Amino acid sequence: MTETDHSSSVFNSSPRLSGEPGKPRRSGSGPGTAVITRTKPQTKRPSLYRVLLLNDDYTPMEFVVHILERFFSKDRDEANTIMLHVHNHGVGECGIYTYEVAETKVTQVMDFARKHQHPLQCVMEKK
Ligand code: TYC
């Protein structure tokens, strides 16, 4: 433990009320008083999640396009392209979000599809 070592640590194993016999007591900084210091910035980039639409045989194409416009802010052309990709390949990406945003999108899509009695499935997966 040196002055340049900023790792988290606290000195002060056994504070004495009257100090070491024969030695003056010290107050303020120095042994007996320590400040916990962080060395590196504690920020970490959040994990990201893909939100995916799954194909089925019953949900109308126009409904899927509407979902992509309404919940994923796609323009009409982009929404059409993604919908057709899902239709042709079975699965497709709607967007990439942090966990809670992705979870919210999935819930919004599933609730909306259910409300309109379509079997459309929306899922999220960690990138
Ligand atoms: N396959 C559907 C149809 O032919 C269209 C569709 C596209 C459904 C994408 C779901 O995620 C989907 N009506």
Side-chain angles (χ1 to χ4, degrees):
M1 180 66 60
T2 67
E3 277 190 28
T4 51
D5 184 348
H6 287 204
S7 61
S8 302
S9 175
V10 175
F11 296 90
N12 192 10
S13 44
S14 56
R16 275 179 290 265
L17 284 175
S18 47
E20 192 111 26
K23 283 188 185 168
R25 286 181 63 208
R26 299 182 56 186
S27 63
S29 60
T33 304
V35 176
I36 296 170
T37 310
R38 276 190 208 282
T39 39
K40 68 171 188 189
Q42 78 297 25
T43 53
K44 293 192 296 298
R45 280 169 291 116
S47 298
L48 294 176
Y49 295 79
R50 283 190 193 92
V51 174
L52 306 171
L53 278 178
L54 308 185
N55 189 38
D56 66 74
D57 293 337
Y58 306 102
T59 304
M61 290 184 171
E62 192 48 52
F63 184 81
V64 178
V65 170
H66 179 68
I67 289 267
L68 288 161
E69 291 175 328
R70 179 171 176 142
F71 298 116
F72 299 95
S73 304
K74 305 301 186 188
D75 65 31
R76 177 57 64 105
D77 276 5
E78 207 177 352
N80 230 320
T81 300
I82 295 169
M83 181 280 294
L84 285 175
H85 177 96
V86 177
H87 177 71
N88 290 319
H89 296 91
V91 61
E93 183 179 292
C94 309
I96 299 174
Y97 308 95
T98 54
Y99 185 87
E100 286 190 336
V101 175
E103 197 183 36
T104 298
K105 302 281 182 196
V106 169
T107 300
Q108 287 173 329
V109 171
M110 294 300 285
D111 287 354
F112 194 70
R114 170 176 277 260
K115 179 170 128 181
H116 292 271
Q117 301 190 300
H118 296 309
L120 182 64
Q121 296 292 302
C122 183
V123 299
M124 60 194 271
E125 67 168 31
K126 200 166 194 288
K127 268 197 85 181

